[in-house]
Amino acid sequence: MPRRLLILGSTGSIGTQALDVVARAEDLEVVGLSAGAQWEPLVEQARRTGVRRIALADGDAAARAAEAWTDGEVLTGAEGLVRLVLESGADLVLNALVGSAGLGPTVATLGEGIDLALANKESLVVGGELVMQLAEATGAQVLPVDSEHSALHQLLHGEPAGAVEKLVLTASGGPFRGRTRAELEDVTVEQALAHPTWAMGGKITIDSATLMNKGLEVIEAHHLFGTPYERIDVVVHPQSIVHSYVTLVDGAALAHLGHPDMRVPIAYALHHPDRVDVPVRPLDLAEVGSLTFEPVDAGTFPCLRLAREAGVAGGTAPCVLNAANEVAVHAFLEGRLPFLGIAAVIEETLGRLGSQPVRAFESLYVADREAREVAAEQVGALSA
């Protein structure tokens, strides 16, 4: 029997590459697809894969899809996404949604005891403690799809408790590696979207340029692997060949290497615990020649520090951080906020709201809403 797979965010970068992986696999059957507003490519994917049910977060897009596609059911909005999870009969859900919109489907998936291939890092940033408790309670697996966390998942497999000294996430450094803070004052959206090694969506590419992406990954690693923040490091590695490494108590270090291609961690998560052929070029270190590493310039890229501080504070602070970042990045992409304003908005929002205890998922939704309001005020003040 093939594994029944539901892909949330199927029209994005991760989703389309996941469908490429599925097309080469006989043991995976797609049973549902979702997108935000891109109804035309979603309908095309539905026709190609033969699914009977799709969901669109945007109501207008869902209405258009329902007119154009009469071969199945079109679900709408956040409720439709959750229904898709609950009613699809999936054995595995790939959550490749962007932003905090991914939290609801993550909770629905794990609450049903369905295994989760997680590319939506915000699920763990916003609600990591509750999400991991839910997974433990239902016995559902959380399989990371981020290249760094996939690497760590593989490196930690079989290592006994207490053997690992540190987790080290690698960062490409983004398009502005080596620049001073003064040199970032006038950068354009186009420059920030020009990532040197990965082809990604707009939000995650800007997060990579500010290093917020790496900050979110630090919080994600803390929850995924139960590792204290003081034992999670970040190092800049421009070639993106070493995806992460761990240091062990006996002085050894284990690293995961490979050419940057997201189909590798996607295939690992979708086929776990098996490995399958993926059509990527084998790594030839002699051909690569040299790999370089350097420390993060925390003064120029304060978002990594802000994320770490929010993670250590715990409670609602990571939720506030994430919401403020989403608002600020959106404003930058629309030309309403300068690049350096992104970190300024986040820092001010965190300063105003601080951290409150998280007793239930509802407190996260309240914190998210408040943080978006405060961040929007800050965007207005900075762009005035």
Side-chain angles (χ1 to χ4, degrees), residues 39-261:
W39 68 270
E40 288 175 296
L42 184 66
V43 166
E44 192 276 324
Q45 289 176 343
R47 288 184 175 133
R48 197 169 73 242
T49 56
V51 303
R52 314 304 302 168
R53 184 175 271 186
I54 61 175
L56 282 143
D58 182 85
D60 291 340
R64 292 188 176 193
E67 285 178 16
W69 183 67
T70 55
D71 295 335
E73 186 180 5
V74 180
L75 302 173
T76 309
E79 299 82 5
L81 267 181
V82 171
R83 267 192 66 199
L84 190 64
V85 171
L86 298 180
E87 299 173 9
S88 65
D91 306 307
L92 177 67
V93 173
L94 169 59
N95 185 346
L97 297 169
V98 176
S100 56
L103 178 59
T106 285
V107 172
T109 299
L110 297 175
E112 290 295 299
I114 302 168
D115 289 345
L116 176 68
L118 186 62
N120 173 257
K121 58 175 59 68
E122 290 85 357
S123 289
L124 288 181
V125 170
V126 173
E129 199 170 312
L130 296 179
V131 165
M132 295 311 290
Q133 285 174 1
L134 185 59
E136 191 173 345
T138 62
Q141 291 187 90
V142 179
L143 299 159
V145 172
D146 270 352
S147 60
E148 297 83 358
H149 301 93
S150 177
L152 290 170
H153 191 273
Q154 295 171 62
L155 291 168
L156 294 172
H157 182 71
E159 291 297 334
V164 177
E165 188 74 30
K166 281 200 168 177
L167 312 182
V168 186
L169 298 161
T170 53
S172 69
F176 305 134
R177 181 178 66 87
R179 295 204 193 183
T180 64
R181 189 167 175 78
E183 290 172 325
L184 296 180
E185 286 185 1
D186 300 316
V187 301
T188 65
V189 171
E190 188 180 29
Q191 289 170 327
L193 287 172
H195 194 278
T197 51
W198 294 98
M200 304 174 290
K203 159 72 164 57
I204 194 170
T205 305
I206 301 304
D207 282 350
S208 182
T210 64
L211 290 197
M212 177 55 86
N213 196 43
K214 212 50 53 176
L216 299 180
E217 287 174 8
V218 166
I219 298 173
E220 191 180 5
H222 165 74
H223 291 297
L224 275 171
F225 306 115
T227 304
Y229 284 104
E230 63 270 18
R231 288 173 45 211
I232 306 174
D233 285 346
V234 175
V235 65
V236 174
H237 169 50
Q239 296 83 16
S240 299
I241 295 292
V242 176
H243 299 134
S244 279
Y245 67 94
V246 298
T247 60
L248 306 177
V249 291
D250 61 4
L254 305 177
H256 181 285
L257 291 76
H259 290 294
D261 190 318

Side-chain angles (χ1 to χ4, degrees), residues 103 107 123 125-131 315-320 323 356-370:
L103 178 59
V107 172
S123 289
V125 170
V126 173
E129 199 170 312
L130 296 179
V131 165
T316 56
C319 177
V320 169
Q356 303 299 321
V358 175
R359 296 187 177 87
F361 284 109
E362 182 56 36
S363 49
L364 295 173
Y365 294 122
V366 171
D368 180 88
R369 187 168 59 249
E370 289 177 347

Side-chain angles (χ1 to χ4, degrees), residues 254-316:
L254 305 177
H256 181 285
L257 291 76
H259 290 294
D261 190 318
M262 281 306 297
R263 290 176 300 173
V264 176
I266 290 168
Y268 175 80
L270 298 189
H271 290 281
H272 182 77
D274 299 325
R275 286 187 187 268
V276 297
D277 288 344
V278 181
V280 299
R281 189 160 52 101
L283 180 64
D284 182 340
L285 285 175
E287 179 192 309
V288 172
S290 63
L291 302 173
T292 60
F293 305 87
E294 59 200 56
V296 174
D297 180 353
T300 303
F301 300 98
C303 282
L304 179 57
R305 168 183 59 81
L306 292 170
R308 190 180 282 275
E309 288 174 356
V312 170
T316 56

